[in-house]
């Protein structure tokens, strides 16, 4: 019982429900290992008792919690000694004036003097209040003045007057104890687009143009956004994560998955359009000659993908771009661009310096930082401090690359908005980072050592999943005031009209798998969802960014409701939208009619992890999985089940009058499923770009590694012939589909 109590106090679940009414107990060894990763020894009865005693003393002695998160209209529950004085130091260091001050004077540091029990609201800063039942209350707020009233409403009103931001809460108890804690005041909801919109979903690397260097780049993204916004009335383009990748070790290729990045805080410069760097055109002499040779090599690489059937080779692309960028860097920046670069360095600060240093050290010692010599595995060691000086030039090179990539991301978003897009670019936040990457090195104190996140066994995967990504430590996040999380979001939202969050359920809980154990031997660890959502709402509010949560798969009760209340759009994929509450098997669950869909969602037919629509309609995806040995039932049984499901959907489309082309018309069926989406109340309707030209190949096939070319395929037509961006734009099949979409979803349709 003691260990279970200790686990509960630290958010570690000792059981879980893989299905309603069925409870599975977590192995004791797993609970011990997970608690150890949280800095808690639960290995023996004695250590459990000591840990419980320490927790009780800490709770009793601490004046303030590690971090306080509050929404407008809601006051935090603070258990404080009677007579404790509170004050708030605003984020900007200046008082937020709201009406006439009742009492108090401003200090030199920008904070305000506190008032004791009775309470005063001074310049928008909350001070003390009466203590009732362990909860600090305040006074009634009248015309900007907090009067002396012991009701909780006054305390709540005072907090509600604080502007959104990351402030500091200060407390002083009558016995002289003092404490400070980050105070995050978060908007109640995320921003929402006031109009319905449609747009493309695409993996950027797969979108090659006649100017690409072997994979899609930010110039291609800007072109796609400008064309689809102006010509098709599209409101957004959603892309895969552009996070920085972990470079391959000698003799090993870079992991092409955009969902196992080195860093989520900075984009990968492999996405740069080299010719769009202003200094490129100023190359002269031998540097120009070499740049022209690299341009020719890039054209050969592009041709091999688009015309000869080669796979996208990220490492070959980066080898050419890196050499070209090293040439470009010899050209001095103009005064204005030098000033802009310095501003970027100052704005991104220590996070950028750490990221760039990791990149420089990885070039010298390889990407596995745990094996680096001389104390370099510790980013704050004396050895690492010496390395910062020794690798100053190469570190600056990687800072410069991050700046160039940031400027081209900004240009792509400007192109989208200039084309009339209400949202523009929809960026994607991966659920975690590679354990050998820059973020795991620089932020070791907030990642749980020896743990990996994944998913428990379910109806679709009896063995569970281990994604090989270290999880955030919820206690370390709170102790830091969620600074790493805030920094991550702020960087991603710089040039985004919307942000998709992969596995958004991870804001509530994550499945932790101890190193060396099977995914079935993991357990859930809970996060402070109020804080995680609050920080997200704050940063989205500041950036004016819509938030989309990928909430597919196993979702615990209440999570979707809470996300909807906070303004996070869900993800609804047509094939999964059924009445599962009335039938256990997918084949027996009736599809939802368009009017039964939720409105606050991004509606799609498919995703990067699922078969393309053409493959689904024809059954090609079953044949592919059969060839790769991925089926769990006999081929004939899988074919029959799949055919029944497709026939059911086609019958529904026919009854709704959405399939005038009749049966047997593949292009007509693809149009029909999109007509269906546009009949739902969904705020956003996404068209998987490969669907528009009949591509039958998935970009990623879960459950495979080297058996299938995941994340390395260019967009292709129905015959598997790769297509350039220019060919896509000219495709009659694409234009016919998008004309139908535009007809049913006119630009700027208000909600």
């Amino acid at each position: 019982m003691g260990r279970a109590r200790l686990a509960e106090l630290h958010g570690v679940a000792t059981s879980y429900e893989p299905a309603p009414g069925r409870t599975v107990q977590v192995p004791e060894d797993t609970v011990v290992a997970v608690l150890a990763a949280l800095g808690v020894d639960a290995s023996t009865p004695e250590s459990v008792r000591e840990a419980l005693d320490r927790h009780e003393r800490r709770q009793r002695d601490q004046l303030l919690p590690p971090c306080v998160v509050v929404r407008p209209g809601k006051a935090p529950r603070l258990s404080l000694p009677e007579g404790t004085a509170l004050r708030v130091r605003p984020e900007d260091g200046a008082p937020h004036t709201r009406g006439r001050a009742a009492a108090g004077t401003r200090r030199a540091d920008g904070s305000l003097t506190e008032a004791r029990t009775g309470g005063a609201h001074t310049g928008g800063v909350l001070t003390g209040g009466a203590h009732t039942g362990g909860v600090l209350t305040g006074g009634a707020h009248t015309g900007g003045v907090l009067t002396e009233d012991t009701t909780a409403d006054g305390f709540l009103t005072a907090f509600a007057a604080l502007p959104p931001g990351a402030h500091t809460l200060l407390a002083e108890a009558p016995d002289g104890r003092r404490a400070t804690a980050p105070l995050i005041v978060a908007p109640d909801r995320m921003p929402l687009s006031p109009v319905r919109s449609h747009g493309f979903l695409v993996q950027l690397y797969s979108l090659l143009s006649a100017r690409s260097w072997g994979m899609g780049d930010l110039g291609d993204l800007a072109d796609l956004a400008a064309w689809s916004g102006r010509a098709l009335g599209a409101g957004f383009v959603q892309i895969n994560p552009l996070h920085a990748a972990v470079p391959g070790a000698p003799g090993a290729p870079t992991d092409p998955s955009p969902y196992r990045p080195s860093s989520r805080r900075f984009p990968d410069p492999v996405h740069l359009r080299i010719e769009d760097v202003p200094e490129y055109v100023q190359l002269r002499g031998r540097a120009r000659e070499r740049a022209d040779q690299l341009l020719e090599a890039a054209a050969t690489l592009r041709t091999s993908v688009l015309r000869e059937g080669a796979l996208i080779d990220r490492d070959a692309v980066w080898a050419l771009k890196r050499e070209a960028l090293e040439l470009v860097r010899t050209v001095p920046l103009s005064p204005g661009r030098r000033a802009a670069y310095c501003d970027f360095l100052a704005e991104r600060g220590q996070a950028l310096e750490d990221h760039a240093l990791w990149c420089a050290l990885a070039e010298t010692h390889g990407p596995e930082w745990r094996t680096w010599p001389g104390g370099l595995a510790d980013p704050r060691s004396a050895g690492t401090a010496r390395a910062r000086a020794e690798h100053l030039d190469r570190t600056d090179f990687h800072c410069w690359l991050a700046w160039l990539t940031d400027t081209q991301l900004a240009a792509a978003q400007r192109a989208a908005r200039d084309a009339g897009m209400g949202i523009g670019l929809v960026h994607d936040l991966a659920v975690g980072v590679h354990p050998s990457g820059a973020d795991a090195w620089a932020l070791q104190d907030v990642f749980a050592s020896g743990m990996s996140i994944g998913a428990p066994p379910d109806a679709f995967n009896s063995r569970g999943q281990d994604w090989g990504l270290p999880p955030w430590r919820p206690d370390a996040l709170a102790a830091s005031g969620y600074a790493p999380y805030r920094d991550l979001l702020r960087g991603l939202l710089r040039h985004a009209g919307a942000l998709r969050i992969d596995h958004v359920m991870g804001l509530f809980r994550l499945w932790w798998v101890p190193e060396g154990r099977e995914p079935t031997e993991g357990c859930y660890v809970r996060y402070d969802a109020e804080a995680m959502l609050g920080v997200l709402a704050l940063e989205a509010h500041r950036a004016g960014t819509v938030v989309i949560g990928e909430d597919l798969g196993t979702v615990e009760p209440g999570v979707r409701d809470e996300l909807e209340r906070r303004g996070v759009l869900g993800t609804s994929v047509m094939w999964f939208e059924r009445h599962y509450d009335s039938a256990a098997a997918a084949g027996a669950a009736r599809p939802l009619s368009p009017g039964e869909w939720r409105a606050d969602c991004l509606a799609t037919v498919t995703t990067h992890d699922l078969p393309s629509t053409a493959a689904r309609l024809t059954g090609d995806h079953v044949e592919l999985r059969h060839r790769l040995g991925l089926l769990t039932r006999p081929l004939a049984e899988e074919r029959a089940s799949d055919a029944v499901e497709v026939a059911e959907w086609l019958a529904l489309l026919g009854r709704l009058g959405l399939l005038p082309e009749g049966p047997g018309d593949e292009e007509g069926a693809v149009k029909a499923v999109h007509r269906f989406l546009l009949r739902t109340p969904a705020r956003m309707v996404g068209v998987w770009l490969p669907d528009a030209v009949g591509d039958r190949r998935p970009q990623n096939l879960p459950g495979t590694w080297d058996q299938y070319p995941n994340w390395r395929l260019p967009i292709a037509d129905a015959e598997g012939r790769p297509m350039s961006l220019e060919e896509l734009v000219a495709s009659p099949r694409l234009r016919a589909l998008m004309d139908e979409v535009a007809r049913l979803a006119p630009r700027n349709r208000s909600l």
Side-chain angles (χ1 to χ4, degrees):
M1 289 297 293
R3 184 174 288 151
R5 172 61 178 157
L6 191 61
E8 180 185 11
L9 290 171
H10 291 86
V12 179
T14 55
S15 65
Y16 68 98
E17 292 188 7
R22 178 170 170 249
T23 301
V24 176
Q25 295 298 317
V26 173
E28 284 283 330
D29 289 349
T30 295
V31 175
V32 172
V34 170
L35 284 170
L38 293 170
V40 180
D41 183 3
S43 58
T44 67
E46 293 76 18
S47 63
V48 168
R49 284 195 296 271
E50 291 174 4
L52 286 170
D53 288 343
R54 281 195 302 273
H55 185 274
E56 183 180 343
R57 287 195 301 272
R58 186 166 57 249
Q59 292 295 105
R60 184 180 62 245
D61 296 341
Q62 72 175 13
L63 202 55
L64 292 174
C67 182
V68 178
V69 179
V70 64
R71 282 191 263 170
K74 293 187 177 181
R77 295 189 65 83
L78 300 174
S79 183
L80 297 167
E82 185 172 355
T84 296
L86 292 177
R87 56 190 174 91
V88 174
R89 182 181 298 122
E91 183 177 35
D92 59 5
H96 170 68
T97 303
R98 186 179 178 88
R100 181 169 58 86
T105 57
R106 187 168 62 175
R107 296 183 190 274
D109 64 1
S111 63
L112 297 170
T113 56
E114 64 276 15
R116 303 269 173 190
T117 302
H121 178 246
T122 307
V125 174
L126 179 72
T127 58
H131 185 264
T132 305
V135 179
L136 187 72
T137 60
H141 186 270
T142 306
V145 177
L146 188 67
T147 60
E148 295 188 7
D149 188 328
T150 58
T151 65
D153 289 342
F155 180 77
L156 183 150
T157 303
F159 259 91
L162 290 170
H167 312 295
T168 302
L169 181 63
L170 304 95
E172 183 174 357
D175 60 8
R177 286 182 297 151
R178 296 185 177 185
T180 63
L183 171 63
I184 296 172
V185 179
D188 195 54
R189 290 175 58 84
M190 318 289 162
L192 286 176
S193 173
V195 298
R196 294 190 68 190
S197 59
H198 66 278
F200 283 125
L201 283 60
V202 63
Q203 301 283 289
L204 180 56
Y205 60 82
S206 71
L207 183 72
L208 283 73
S209 73
R211 294 180 61 190
S212 302
W213 285 37
M215 62 182 283
D217 61 35
L218 292 170
D220 298 323
L221 176 60
D223 279 348
L224 176 67
W227 169 73
S228 61
R230 296 178 189 279
L232 306 179
F236 63 89
V237 174
Q238 178 181 305
I239 52 177
N240 56 286
L242 302 184
H243 308 321
V246 177
T254 297
D255 184 347
S257 172
Y259 292 94
R260 281 173 56 83
S262 169
S263 174
R264 297 185 294 175
R265 299 187 292 176
F266 297 96
D268 198 308
V270 75
H271 300 109
L272 283 168
R273 169 69 63 82
I274 302 299
E275 302 93 312
D276 287 352
V277 178
E279 289 73 30
Y280 177 82
V281 298
Q282 300 178 44
L283 290 172
R284 300 290 184 269
R286 291 184 179 179
R288 167 53 58 193
E289 292 176 6
R290 182 55 184 157
D292 290 342
Q293 292 171 356
L294 293 170
L295 197 60
E296 292 176 5
T300 300
L301 199 59
R302 177 178 64 247
T303 299
S304 71
V305 174
L306 290 176
R307 300 291 172 258
E308 299 170 11
L311 298 175
I312 292 170
D313 187 339
R314 181 191 184 102
D315 290 330
V317 172
W318 178 235
L320 296 177
K321 288 190 175 184
R322 181 178 58 214
E323 185 176 351
L325 288 162
E326 286 168 344
L327 293 172
V328 172
R329 189 168 175 253
T330 63
V331 178
L333 295 173
S334 68
R337 280 177 58 77
R338 168 61 62 181
Y341 177 45
C342 290
D343 283 350
F344 179 77
L345 293 175
E347 183 177 359
R348 301 312 302 270
Q350 186 69 53
L352 175 59
E353 183 182 337
D354 286 345
H355 172 72
L357 177 60
W358 182 92
C359 293
L361 293 174
E363 290 177 334
T364 302
H365 303 292
E368 180 44 73
W369 54 265
R370 292 174 181 80
T371 66
W372 289 351
L376 298 180
D378 179 358
R380 306 294 171 240
S381 71
T384 301
R386 289 191 296 270
R388 290 182 190 275
E390 295 166 0
H391 294 79
L392 193 60
D393 182 70
R394 202 62 187 173
T395 299
D396 182 67
F397 174 68
H398 289 286
C399 288
W400 176 72
L401 293 180
W403 173 61
L404 292 180
T405 312
D406 185 79
T407 61
Q408 291 196 8
L409 278 169
Q413 176 65 351
R414 281 197 304 273
R417 288 295 180 88
D418 289 347
M421 287 188 168
I423 293 176
L425 302 185
V426 181
H427 288 285
D428 198 349
L429 172 60
V431 69
V433 295
H434 198 290
S436 297
D439 284 0
W441 174 72
L443 300 171
Q444 294 175 46
D445 55 335
V446 294
F447 285 108
S449 177
M451 294 289 143
S452 173
I453 58 177
D458 57 28
F460 300 99
N461 193 327
S462 61
R463 299 181 58 186
Q465 300 175 57
D466 183 345
W467 301 331
L469 310 170
W472 294 117
R473 281 184 55 164
D475 58 331
L477 280 179
S480 70
Y482 294 87
Y485 179 46
R486 285 189 283 130
D487 180 62
L488 165 64
L489 292 172
R490 197 172 300 120
L492 280 167
L493 299 176
R494 287 169 64 85
H495 311 300
L499 178 68
R500 173 191 181 271
I501 300 180
D502 192 41
H503 194 70
V504 72
M505 296 82 76
L507 300 181
F508 294 77
R509 64 178 185 177
L510 281 171
W511 184 257
W512 288 24
V513 182
E515 184 176 348
R517 298 181 185 273
E518 293 296 320
T520 53
E521 299 179 77
C523 72
Y524 278 116
V525 175
R526 190 160 295 281
Y527 292 76
D528 185 340
E530 179 68 20
M532 299 293 280
L533 287 169
V535 171
L536 177 60
L538 174 61
E539 297 304 332
H541 169 76
R542 286 170 157 167
T545 304
V546 175
V547 178
I548 304 163
E550 186 272 297
D551 56 351
L552 304 174
T554 302
V555 185
E556 65 178 318
V559 166
R560 285 197 176 103
D561 292 336
E562 179 61 17
L563 291 173
E564 183 179 2
R565 282 192 291 269
R566 300 304 298 269
V568 178
L569 301 184
T571 300
S572 294
V573 178
M574 192 192 79
W575 305 105
F576 301 154
E577 290 300 304
R578 293 173 174 270
H579 286 279
Y580 291 112
D581 56 345
S582 61
R590 178 177 62 83
L592 296 178
S593 65
E596 294 175 305
W597 281 46
R598 54 183 171 173
D600 290 333
C601 74
L602 166 64
T604 70
V605 181
T606 190
T607 74
H608 59 267
D609 281 334
L610 295 173
S612 71
T613 301
R616 175 80 72 168
L617 291 169
T618 59
D620 282 6
H621 71 109
V622 176
E623 303 298 329
L624 173 61
R625 292 170 59 228
H626 171 64
R627 291 196 301 271
L628 297 176
L630 299 176
L631 296 183
T632 58
R633 297 183 295 177
L635 176 59
E637 189 176 336
E638 289 276 1
R639 282 175 175 163
S641 175
D642 185 68
V644 168
E645 182 179 356
V646 171
E648 184 179 25
W649 276 103
L650 291 177
L652 174 60
L653 295 172
R655 290 195 301 273
L656 293 172
L658 300 176
L659 189 54
E661 296 86 354
D665 186 324
E666 180 188 305
E667 287 190 49
V670 172
K671 290 178 183 177
V673 295
H674 288 93
R675 292 175 186 132
F676 180 93
L677 293 186
L678 291 160
R679 191 171 285 189
T680 72
R683 284 180 175 268
M684 299 172 67
V685 173
V687 178
W688 177 236
L689 184 54
D691 272 353
V693 290
D695 196 344
R696 282 165 160 69
R697 307 166 307 169
Q699 283 293 315
N700 177 52
L701 191 58
T704 63
W705 177 244
D706 56 1
Q707 306 98 314
Y708 185 81
N710 295 320
W711 318 112
R712 289 175 288 167
L713 293 171
I715 297 173
D717 64 15
E719 286 71 45
R721 184 182 65 85
M723 301 181 71
S724 68
L725 174 58
E726 291 80 6
E727 291 169 320
L728 287 165
V729 169
S731 166
R733 179 166 177 164
L734 180 146
R735 194 59 191 243
L737 172 63
M738 296 312 296
D739 282 349
E740 189 75 355
V741 169
R743 180 180 69 83
L744 297 171
R747 181 184 292 198
N748 295 332
R749 177 186 289 175
S750 297
L751 290 164

